[in-house]
Amino acid sequence: MIRHLMHVEFDRQRGLQEQVRESLISAILSGLFPPDSPLPSCRQLASQLHVSRNTTALVFEGLVSEGYLISRPRSGYYLHPDYHLTPPSAAQDLLIHDETAPSWSTRMKISPSQQESILKPAGWKNYRYPFIYGQPDTRQFPIASWRATANWLHGGVRDPAWVVDHIDQDVPMLIEQIRTRVLPKRGIAASPDEILITLGSQNALYLLTRLLMNRETRVAVEDPGFREAINTFLLSETAIVPHPLDNEGIKLNDAAACDYYYVTPGHQVPTGVTMSQARRQQLLAHAVRHDAVIIEDDYDSESNFTLNPLPALKASDRSGRVIYVSSLSKALSPGLRLGFMVADPDLIDEARALRRLMYRHPPTNIQYQMAHFLAQGHYETHLRRYHDDSARRWDRLHDALRTSLPECNMMAGSEHANAFWLSTPQHISTRQLTWRAAHAGVLIEPGARHFLGDAPPDHFFRMGFHAIDPQAIAPGVDVLKGQLMQMG
């Protein structure tokens, strides 16, 4: 039993000692070692796992010093009494009986799980051709320079300021790097009290929803649009007012004036259309005329590889009506979940107070590390490589689509976006195409969920190009073409 229990599939990219320790701790915390029986000896475990006795001895000594095990002379290693788990028979008595358990479904005041949302398979890496949007090629991550900033952060000669609770404050070094290095590239000038660090741009949208919106609020959104933003606004029972798009961006309607206008002008989600300069000026004037506020989601400000992108809307704001939210992790590592918001100091103060009630502040160690990553120029170096790589990938997918799928049209005005928004002939259901393509190893995203209304069009789909191996782009499009042809 112990032999089976302690079988380890070693990963060559990780240390042996680390993996042996991880397996032992997992077995201890799972209650799989009897409390009064010795664990296998160092020699037995080393022989069983085909590692050196020194490796297992170091692991056992470490677990003793940390209180997981105790050592009995001439007897062996045993579980520390703190890890003698409740016997199974007694644990059964603690199970909640159905007849006395609360009815959680009747207690829920909201049900976010029931909202229409964008679904992405958790196992997307297992697809041969993952044309998925919003996921990076992990091989592009600058691991060496990121490790260097981690070494700087954890250097013993420095006061570890990131260890303490900062209550509701952000790391000044990161605020300064955003203010002086990131925002000027978007044409934005801001003071430190106008900037708040968030757990990604979507966290900023949640803060704004709780602060500014209720059931009397009217929010204009793009249709099709970013479904997760719409779902966030709906948490306050906000009235959502869809606005159609053309190849210049959102089309305004004076007869349907709203309190807030949520837009993605850099590259509209999901179509990739860049809002024209004329439409931007029209939107700013419209907001002044109707005493409205614009929420600018510049989610791809750093990942935008357009040669000369237009400045942010916030850069042209002369009346303080634009709230700017963006991300620091989109082009680096989406898993970092690090973003920021730029707005009037009074709004930032209230957002900071609300954030404090939720999670106080984003982890300070990550803030310090990102600040140093920016200050040392590593971020800018990574962005240059990322932009060059993105441009090559875009060209490759564009050429493959033009050659193999000429019947699928790309929306005008969306050139060099971080995904392709495509339409099939009207009789083709992209939900069915997505299902068929997935079974052939091709992962695409159907577009219907991005639309509001009861009968969304079913002939749009989206294809990303960052997660897939560039060499697999053309073959993947050919496989998709085969599935499309079989649908007539």
Side-chain angles (χ1 to χ4, degrees):
M1 173 175 156
I2 296 297
R3 180 175 297 275
H4 173 73
L5 174 67
M6 292 311 302
H7 176 71
V8 179
E9 293 287 344
F10 285 109
D11 182 348
R12 294 183 179 180
Q13 296 183 346
R14 299 173 58 197
L16 292 176
Q17 186 176 323
E18 172 192 359
Q19 296 178 75
V20 173
R21 172 190 167 87
E22 186 176 290
S23 298
L24 276 169
I25 288 180
S26 178
I28 291 169
L29 298 181
S30 300
L32 296 177
F33 287 123
D36 298 320
S37 298
L39 273 67
S41 68
C42 294
R43 187 186 303 276
Q44 289 170 335
L45 189 59
S47 176
Q48 178 184 329
L49 298 180
H50 303 290
V51 298
S52 72
R53 184 182 176 187
N54 188 52
T55 297
T56 56
L58 288 172
V59 171
F60 276 126
E61 289 171 10
L63 295 180
V64 169
S65 67
E66 294 178 29
Y68 287 99
L69 303 176
I70 58 175
S71 176
R72 297 177 183 173
R74 290 190 293 274
S75 180
Y77 294 97
Y78 291 77
L79 293 182
H80 189 283
D82 289 349
Y83 293 95
H84 291 184
L85 301 185
T86 305
S89 59
Q92 291 295 325
D93 295 336
L94 299 178
L95 293 176
I96 297 175
H97 299 290
D98 289 344
E99 63 269 17
T100 60
S103 174
W104 294 112
S105 61
T106 60
R107 289 174 177 262
M108 298 290 181
K109 301 301 185 270
I110 59 173
S111 298
S113 65
Q114 301 304 308
Q115 292 178 322
E116 189 82 13
S117 60
I118 306 304
L119 300 177
K120 296 180 180 179
W124 62 266
K125 288 184 179 180
N126 297 323
Y127 285 78
R128 189 174 182 182
Y129 306 109
F131 291 103
I132 188 171
Y133 171 73
Q135 296 294 343
D137 182 346
T138 55
R139 296 169 300 179
Q140 301 294 321
F141 185 79
I143 188 67
S145 52
W146 186 251
R147 184 185 293 116
T149 57
N151 292 338
W152 168 85
L153 179 68
H154 300 295
V157 298
R158 296 180 179 83
D159 177 23
W162 53 270
V163 172
V164 300
D165 180 5
H166 286 212
I167 313 299
D168 61 0
Q169 295 301 302
D170 294 313
V171 171
M173 182 182 180
L174 181 56
I175 294 290
E176 189 63 12
Q177 289 299 313
I178 291 172
R179 191 182 74 82
T180 60
R181 295 261 184 122
V182 176
L183 292 178
K185 291 189 294 183
R186 303 297 294 129
I188 299 173
S191 58
D193 61 354
E194 294 178 297
I195 303 171
L196 182 75
I197 306 300
T198 62
L199 296 176
S201 55
Q202 197 163 326
N203 175 225
L205 298 180
Y206 180 84
L207 294 173
L208 294 173
T209 298
R210 301 301 296 166
L211 288 172
L212 302 175
M213 301 176 189
N214 59 24
R215 63 181 59 188
E216 278 110 41
T217 307
R218 290 168 57 85
V219 179
V221 299
E222 301 155 328
D223 187 23
F226 181 34
R227 175 61 71 167
E228 300 289 35
I230 295 169
N231 288 345
T232 302
F233 302 148
L234 288 173
L235 294 176
S236 290
E237 301 183 24
T238 303
I240 301 297
V241 183
H243 281 58
L245 299 166
D246 60 18
N247 60 1
E248 293 189 75
I250 190 170
K251 297 173 67 175
L252 300 174
N253 183 351
D254 280 329
C258 295
D259 303 296
Y260 298 93
Y261 287 78
Y262 171 76
V263 292
T264 51
H267 281 125
Q268 196 273 334
V269 177
T271 65
V273 166
T274 297
M275 188 182 295
S276 69
Q277 187 62 47
R279 195 66 56 84
R280 291 167 186 245
Q281 293 303 318
Q282 182 185 359
L283 177 58
L284 289 167
H286 182 93
V288 172
R289 187 163 60 252
H290 295 284
D291 190 24
V293 168
I294 300 167
I295 301 173
E296 178 182 12
D297 189 345
D298 201 12
Y299 68 96
D300 75 338
S301 61
E302 298 297 273
S303 60
N304 189 341
F305 59 95
T306 303
L307 187 58
N308 293 300
L310 291 172
L313 266 174
K314 181 71 173 172
S316 301
D317 179 25
R318 299 293 177 264
S319 57
R321 293 186 176 275
V322 178
I323 301 170
Y324 181 86
V325 301
S326 190
S327 170
L328 282 172
S329 51
K330 193 77 173 177
L332 179 62
S333 168
L336 285 177
R337 307 309 310 151
L338 201 59
F340 59 94
M341 174 166 57
V342 182
D344 183 90
D346 289 342
L347 177 56
I348 292 296
D349 283 346
E350 291 301 325
R352 188 182 305 280
L354 176 58
R355 188 189 67 176
R356 176 178 177 174
L357 297 177
M358 297 169 62
Y359 55 86
R360 290 185 177 267
H361 53 73
T364 50
N365 63 323
I366 295 297
Q367 290 195 52
Y368 273 112
Q369 189 168 351
M370 178 59 83
H372 190 65
F373 195 75
L374 282 159
Q376 292 296 307
H378 298 314
Y379 189 56
E380 198 64 33
T381 299
H382 170 71
L383 288 182
R384 286 197 299 269
R385 294 171 179 165
Y386 180 91
H387 293 167
D388 290 344
D389 178 66
S390 297
R392 288 191 295 269
R393 288 169 179 266
W394 191 93
D395 288 340
R396 189 173 293 225
L397 181 52
H398 179 260
D399 291 344
L401 290 169
R402 186 175 54 185
T403 301
S404 299
L405 287 175
E407 61 270 48
C408 294
N409 297 315
M410 182 177 73
M411 187 161 181
S414 64
E415 291 75 18
H416 298 108
N418 276 289
F420 283 74
W421 179 254
L422 302 156
S423 61
T424 64
Q426 291 273 351
H427 68 281
I428 297 293
S429 166
T430 55
R431 278 178 284 198
Q432 293 182 19
L433 177 61
T434 300
W435 183 86
R436 293 177 62 97
H439 282 74
V442 179
L443 184 60
I444 61 173
E445 182 185 320
R449 290 177 180 267
H450 292 279
F451 289 90
L452 298 173
D454 297 329
D458 192 24
H459 63 286
F460 291 94
F461 67 102
R462 183 163 65 169
M463 296 180 72
F465 46 79
H466 284 107
I468 188 172
D469 186 320
Q471 301 300 323
I473 288 177
V477 172
D478 285 339
V479 175
L480 181 62
K481 174 185 179 179
Q483 296 302 313
L484 186 64
M485 292 178 62
Q486 290 180 35
M487 296 178 66

